[in-house]
Amino acid sequence: MRRPPDAVESGLPPPPPPFTFRRMRIEDLDGVMAIEKDGFAHPWSADLMQREMVHDWSTILVATDVRRGPGGAAVEDLVGFVVYWLVHDELHVLNVATAVKERRRGVARALLVEAASRARKAGAVLATLEVRRSNAAALALYRDLGYRQVGIRTNYYVDEGEDAIVMVLDL
Ligand SMILES: CC(C)(COP(=O)(O)OP(=O)(O)OC[C@H]1O[C@@H](n2cnc3c(N)ncnc32)[C@H](O)[C@@H]1OP(=O)(O)O)[C@@H](O)C(=O)NCCC(=O)NCCS
């Protein structure tokens, strides 16, 4: 059977990537906070989120999905975000969340891959994070990306006295 011509053979531009990434802007705050509140029983405050936007070592990356709105205009939907610190040669993931209706589309995986790629280019060799022992979805996500468990911090989350699983990934 003949293979249909691919984008290069046909001279067409390659299809756009499913998500685009950029640093969070202040006008994204409401959208980021809506995802944060839907994602966590104890969400960060808007103040804390804004403080992360100004630290030199901290980055909030948002993932957006561009779709056609009424009249064909491009509309940018905020589908997820990741907050990470880059300190010396280490990437530390503090927070990652995907809008409820966008879950299981690869948003969080893509955000974490993008964060790792940016950190690697900046000289990072190791990624670290903590995750609640009960957060099965996040644990599955991190394992899927190759993170491995290296320890447990007992009662790390003071709100519920829950343990944190410490995970690392060589970049
Ligand atoms: C955890 C979370 C960020 C995952 O986001 P997502 O965009 O839906 O994840 P992805 O679609 O990129 O999933 C990538 C992989 O992670 C794993 N995964 C993600 N969600 C899962 C779930 N609910 N159950 C089991 N595995 C899951 C799977 O291996 C998945 O690959 P697959 O879909 O091909 O099977 C999302 O559920 C969320 O926002 N939760 C609330 C906030 C949170 O707990 N954040 C993490 C702690 S900081």
Side-chain angles (χ1 to χ4, degrees):
M1 202 171 82
R2 278 193 63 195
R3 200 161 57 93
D6 63 24
V8 175
E9 285 169 340
S10 66
L12 293 170
F19 310 113
T20 54
F21 307 98
R22 58 170 174 76
R23 287 185 83 124
M24 179 185 166
R25 304 178 193 129
I26 194 65
E27 56 268 31
D28 299 318
L29 187 62
D30 288 349
V32 165
M33 285 309 298
I35 295 173
E36 171 73 11
K37 285 177 185 156
D38 283 346
F40 297 98
H42 304 281
W44 286 14
S45 68
D47 268 0
L48 180 56
M49 200 67 79
Q50 277 179 276
R51 258 180 277 146
E52 290 301 324
M53 290 178 74
V54 294
H55 293 314
D56 283 349
W57 57 88
S58 185
T59 300
I60 306 181
L61 273 190
V62 297
T64 66
D65 199 359
V66 179
R67 61 179 170 81
R68 292 286 147 199
V75 180
E76 197 189 41
D77 282 332
L78 199 64
V79 292
F81 70 89
V82 60
V83 184
Y84 63 88
W85 287 359
L86 199 51
V87 181
H88 303 299
D89 57 359
E90 202 172 302
L91 163 74
H92 186 68
V93 179
L94 283 91
N95 195 352
V96 57
T98 299
V100 174
K101 66 179 172 41
E102 307 290 348
R103 290 190 187 161
R104 295 312 281 269
R105 290 183 60 211
V107 173
R109 185 196 284 125
L111 274 164
L112 290 166
V113 167
E114 178 70 16
S117 157
R118 290 181 184 218
R120 209 179 293 115
K121 282 184 195 139
V125 295
L126 187 76
T128 64
L129 55 82
E130 287 98 17
V131 53
R132 282 177 190 263
R133 192 195 277 279
S134 65
N135 195 340
L139 278 164
L141 166 71
Y142 301 139
R143 287 193 185 117
D144 182 67
L145 284 163
Y147 280 83
R148 62 185 194 280
Q149 180 175 334
V150 290
I152 293 175
R153 294 195 213 283
T154 313
N155 291 328
Y156 182 76
Y157 299 100
V158 283
D159 42 34
E160 272 130 20
E162 187 171 353
D163 298 346
I165 310 279
V166 183
M167 303 184 91
V168 302
L169 173 73
D170 297 312
L171 294 177

